[in-house]
Amino acid sequence: MNTIRLDIGNKTAKLPLIQGGMGVGISLAGLAGAVAREGGIGIISSAQIGFREPDFGTDSKKANLRAMALELQKARAIAAGPDGRCEGLLGFNIMVATRDYGDYVRTAASAGADVIISGAGLPVDLPKYVEGTDTLIAPIVSSEKAARIILKMWDRHYRRTADFLVIEGAHAGGHLGFSREDLERMQEEGFDIAYDLEIRKIIACADSWAKAYGTRIPVIVAGGIMNAAQVQHALSLGASGVQVATPFVTTKECDAAEAFKQAYVHARPEDIEIVTSPVGMPARAIHNPFLEKVQQGSEQITRCYRCLEKCSPKTAPYCITQALIRAVQGDVENGLIFCGDNAARLTEITTVADVIRTLFP
């Protein structure tokens, strides 16, 4: 299995592996660079990426855009290793729900990102923002309907198609492209089998557009993938590769604080729950005192960091930026800890190389 590579457009990664983008501050240069050094595609999350910049509190957008270029530069230095060679790729995950989304995409492309992956909404205008660059683009979808809508609109408005697709299933972490009702049915018999059929439909949709454009559209499957058997299953469905995020959190190279990683190590299956984020989207997180507190009432918001387009300090139950920053910096009692539904299976701190050997022995 470790001989399979991933060809996307005119670029190639040694491994058919994308490390999922995790914000705020979980997947920055340290993690993404280490994955790319091993031959995968390392992804930096643009979500409030500048939280450590001195002007973040006064001009978060400016801090974020500056930090994007800095983190990509640092990631490339890490990915190159001592011999200066890198067999992987580097890019960004940029949420469509991000305020001033287009500016973030343009910044990533101008900084030289190999790829941009975009979800948390339909990235219908993504092609416009990378025009004239060689940055490859992929929408994140969870249904054949979403894939069909996006590819049809890209064809109609921009006369182009996706360079690849990422399918994010219901077992993924963070914000999810499913209704709460769908997520509550995950444990029912046949749920995963039914979703395998949806994956095949999405692949067929991608193949039809690829044929129309005389190209290939690799499809990457994500959500709950932890081991080689799951990788092989995804490939057997027709996928070209997998995207993995949660297992990389408990690595030495992950950019989060040690306490954040330990929250994963000590999590039990019953600690992982579906929550509703301040923008009304279902998400998966580890139960902690913070979630208990916000269930009892709203947390006062004293400053808006202008993160998500549809978030309003007047109506939000808490500031998701502050909650995620507290967690990634180690205050896991008072922060929001997003995770995938298999997080409880992680029992020790390992390395990026260890995770990759588990996926591709």
Side-chain angles (χ1 to χ4, degrees), residues 182-200:
D182 286 337
L183 296 171
E184 289 173 350
R185 291 197 295 268
M186 280 181 56
Q187 304 308 318
E188 295 179 3
E189 185 177 355
F191 181 92
D192 288 337
I193 294 174
Y195 197 68
D196 282 352
L197 296 176
E198 188 70 18
I199 289 173
R200 292 185 185 276

Side-chain angles (χ1 to χ4, degrees), residues 293-301 315-318:
K293 177 183 175 182
V294 295
Q295 285 173 357
Q296 301 303 316
S298 298
E299 181 181 72
Q300 184 178 8
I301 299 176
T315 57
Y318 61 89

Side-chain angles (χ1 to χ4, degrees), residues 124-276:
V124 292
D125 291 323
L126 178 56
K128 174 171 64 177
Y129 304 126
V130 300
E131 190 173 353
T133 75
D134 67 350
T135 298
L136 306 177
I137 55 175
I140 297 175
V141 299
S142 295
S143 68
E144 187 272 339
K145 179 180 179 181
R148 179 164 33 85
I149 290 171
I150 294 167
L151 296 180
K152 185 175 182 178
M153 293 190 75
W154 286 14
D155 172 65
R156 178 184 300 169
H157 296 294
Y158 303 106
R159 295 296 184 264
R160 67 159 296 173
T161 193
D163 295 301
F164 61 110
L165 283 179
V166 176
I167 303 174
E168 207 164 84
H171 295 279
H175 287 112
L176 302 165
F178 294 83
S179 68
R180 181 175 282 271
E181 291 72 26
D182 286 337
L183 296 171
E184 289 173 350
R185 291 197 295 268
M186 280 181 56
Q187 304 308 318
E188 295 179 3
E189 185 177 355
F191 181 92
D192 288 337
I193 294 174
Y195 197 68
D196 282 352
L197 296 176
E198 188 70 18
I199 289 173
R200 292 185 185 276
K201 289 180 182 178
I202 296 170
I203 293 173
C205 176
D207 286 346
S208 67
W209 282 104
K211 183 178 180 180
Y213 276 84
T215 187
R216 290 180 63 255
I217 303 178
V219 177
I220 312 301
V221 170
I225 295 173
M226 306 280 285
N227 55 49
Q230 291 170 310
V231 172
Q232 189 58 52
H233 178 68
L235 298 179
S236 74
L237 296 174
S240 297
V242 295
Q243 177 177 285
V244 176
T246 294
F248 285 114
V249 172
T250 53
T251 62
K252 294 177 182 178
E253 297 92 340
C254 177
D255 297 277
E258 183 66 20
F260 188 95
K261 301 175 189 181
Q262 291 297 329
Y264 275 52
V265 170
H266 296 295
R268 303 165 299 174
E270 59 267 30
D271 294 328
I272 298 170
E273 62 182 87
I274 301 299
V275 300
T276 302

